[in-house]
């Protein structure tokens, strides 16, 4: 059997397909951007058919670039933007509404109503999540309540719900398989992460008919075989994980205490807590890191909604850079005497604040502030937000050994300036993964190891290495002054409507 693995990485702003060989080396890739739709303030949508078409086109493109036959691919691994919610016709496969993206805030009122009715502790205890529009459950509730005839069709079994992985699996298998993996299920706010089942009580609270739900599988599992007409061969789908969990796997964070942080549109830090399902007192999320051979490994997660998206705003909103890679060089030109802070709450603030009503703000502007200072503030905000996450995680898992080295990946990790500032602010070494496509690599490992053509967990972990380590170099007094300024800026940005802390 050939050892080629096709990894499908369907993200918030683009779809990517990567071919890896038996030595876990990247052979080829193809990428295609997808459009963002903003029908109302705070709403974010994707076209489900465009997502599907982009995945097919990039998969075919990567196979063609690799110069291999489709039949040489041993397995497919899928990783995806999480929480993004879709519904489609079970018989025709037709999407019944645009996908509601994880960033979308339209269900804030539903969340507030559920909190007022006292359901937050129940949600927290069963799912490890907070009552926030970020997650899939209230998005699905909104669709059922607002799309004409959808609830009635759902109740008679004509509707499928899924996150992006489910949508791709359904389409790749020609409609034969309606499934989801445990990591994506754990982000729906409908899945009991202790018992490993869809939770009947939560389904009742949110008025979700159980018939719409996909089957939950392990991350390395049998997810069906592709329809031969799509890619030219019947290829088994053997690995699936949400993007941040796939990045955790790709960074080989298999031991309790290991941490990774991925910098893409948002920023997501995960701390592996092993079999310890930690309940956070600091507004972190308790989630499933991965489930292999029926055994669940848990993680604490901190989610930052805006990271690379702040740089996109500099490019597309303000026009002060023409491409994202220019941001680090521009930040270097900033006047060190100015203390400009950007709190990028464009779609609210995530962990540890969970304030959906907060909006972005810039503090400390003077007449001499210009593009360089704005670029500096945008990049530095990523470091400050990461520090907020790490401080909360250390409090939650106090007494346990936590790695002092942070493993990083994602588009922003390629910026030397940003990673050095991250190391300075968090006061820990930062290891940049040599393989920047760690999210795709994690999905590929799940599929490749299941297919028996890639190594097991220990050997895979032993092959991980960094391309560069960034060590803290900032004087502590300067660091503390900067942090104090950041915390003051955040305090003035909060709406006063943040999620109540759950003990």
């Amino acid at each position: 059997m050939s050892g080629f693995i096709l990894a499908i990485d369907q993200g918030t702003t683009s779809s990517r397909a990567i071919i890896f060989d038996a030595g876990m080396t990247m052979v080829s890739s193809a990428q295609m951007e997808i459009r963002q739709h903003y029908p109302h303030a705070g709403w974010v949508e994707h076209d489900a058919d465009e997502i599907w078409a982009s995945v097919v086109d990039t998969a075919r493109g990567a196979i063609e670039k690799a110069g291999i036959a489709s039949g040489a691919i041993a397995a497919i691994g899928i990783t995806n933007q999480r929480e993004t919610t879709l519904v489609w016709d079970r018989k025709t496969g037709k999407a019944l509404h645009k996908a509601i993206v994880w960033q979308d805030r339209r269900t804030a009122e539903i969340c507030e109503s559920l909190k007022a009715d006292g359901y937050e502790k129940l949600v927290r205890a069963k799912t490890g999540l907070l009552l926030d529009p970020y997650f899939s459950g209230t998005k699905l509730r909104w669709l059922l309540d607002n799309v004409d005839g959808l609830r009635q069709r759902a109740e008679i079994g004509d509707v499928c719900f899924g996150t992006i992985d489910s949508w791709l699996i359904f389409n790749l298998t020609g409609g034969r398989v309606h499934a989801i993996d445990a990591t994506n299920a754990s982000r729906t706010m409908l899945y009991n992460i202790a018992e490993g089942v869809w939770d009947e009580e939560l389904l009742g609270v949110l008025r979700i008919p159980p018939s719409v739900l996909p089957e939950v599988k392990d991350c390395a599992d049998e997810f069906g075989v592709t329809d031969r007409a799509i890619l030219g061969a019947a290829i088994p789908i053997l690995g699936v994980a949400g993007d941040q969990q796939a990045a955790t796997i790709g960074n080989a964070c298999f031991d309790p205490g290991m941490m990774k942080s991925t910098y893409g549109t948002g920023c997501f830090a995960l701390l592996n807590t092993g079999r310890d399902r930690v309940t956070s007192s600091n507004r972190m999320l308790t989630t499933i890191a991965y489930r292999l051979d029926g055994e669940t490994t848990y993680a604490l997660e901190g989610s930052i909604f805006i990271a690379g998206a702040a740089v996109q705003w500099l490019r597309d909103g303000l026009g002060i850079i023409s491409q994202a890679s220019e941001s680090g060089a521009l930040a270097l030109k900033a006047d060190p005497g100015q203390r400009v802070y950007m709190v990028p709450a464009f779609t609210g603030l995530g962990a540890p604040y969970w304030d959906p009503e907060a909006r972005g703000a810039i503090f400390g502007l003077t007449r001499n502030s210009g593009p360089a200072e704005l670029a500096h503030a945008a990049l530095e905000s990523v470091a400050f937000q990461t520090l907020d996450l790490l401080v909360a995680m250390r409090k939650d898992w106090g007494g346990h050994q936590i790695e002092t080295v942070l493993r990083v990946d994602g588009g922003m990790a390629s910026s030397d300036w940003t990673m050095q500032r991250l190391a300075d602010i968090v006061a820990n070494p930062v290891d940049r993964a040599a393989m920047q496509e760690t999210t795709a690599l994690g999905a590929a490992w799940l599929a490749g190891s299941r297919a028996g053509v890639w190594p097991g967990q220990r050997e895979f972990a032993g092959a991980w290495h960094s391309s560069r380590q960034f060590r803290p170099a900032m004087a502590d007094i300067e660091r503390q002054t900067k942090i104090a300024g950041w915390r003051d800026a955040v305090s003035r940005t909060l709406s006063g409507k943040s999620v109540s802390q759950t003990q």
Side-chain angles (χ1 to χ4, degrees), residues 246-393:
T248 302
I249 293 165
N251 274 305
C253 292
F254 293 124
D255 295 328
M258 296 185 73
M259 299 180 64
K260 75 90 200 175
S261 192
T262 298
Y263 297 94
T265 303
C267 165
F268 302 86
L270 265 75
L271 167 66
N272 184 326
T273 60
R275 296 183 182 181
D276 192 359
R277 186 166 48 89
V278 179
T279 299
S280 175
S281 297
N282 295 280
R283 299 175 182 174
M284 295 293 101
L285 305 177
T286 306
T287 196
I288 293 177
Y290 47 85
R291 194 174 81 190
L292 300 172
D293 298 323
E295 182 176 308
T296 300
T297 295
Y298 295 99
L300 278 173
E301 176 177 329
S303 307
I304 297 168
F305 296 154
I306 300 294
V311 178
Q312 291 173 340
W313 179 67
L314 297 179
R315 181 192 66 189
D316 303 333
L318 299 184
I320 63 176
I321 55 175
S322 59
Q323 51 189 5
S325 58
E326 297 172 4
S327 58
L330 185 58
L332 271 172
K333 299 176 182 177
D335 177 2
Q338 293 195 50
R339 299 213 178 268
V340 179
Y341 293 90
M342 177 188 294
V343 183
F346 301 144
T347 56
L349 280 173
Y353 307 104
W354 292 105
D355 186 347
E357 301 301 321
R359 289 296 176 262
I362 299 173
F363 298 95
L365 294 174
T366 71
R367 283 290 300 272
N368 291 327
S369 300
E373 285 71 34
L374 290 178
H376 185 281
L379 296 180
E380 203 169 48
S381 74
V382 175
F384 289 129
Q385 290 179 98
T386 303
L387 175 67
D388 289 341
L389 301 183
L390 300 189
V391 168
M393 286 179 175

Side-chain angles (χ1 to χ4, degrees), residues 40 111 127 131 138 144-145 151 157 218-219 237 246 281 288 301 335 359 369 380 382 401 418 449:
H40 301 286
C111 292
T127 72
L131 257 173
T138 56
L144 291 168
D145 288 345
R151 181 172 292 282
D218 285 358
C219 299
I237 305 166
S281 297
I288 293 177
E301 176 177 329
D335 177 2
R359 289 296 176 262
S369 300
E380 203 169 48
V382 175
Q401 178 62 40
T418 307
S449 61

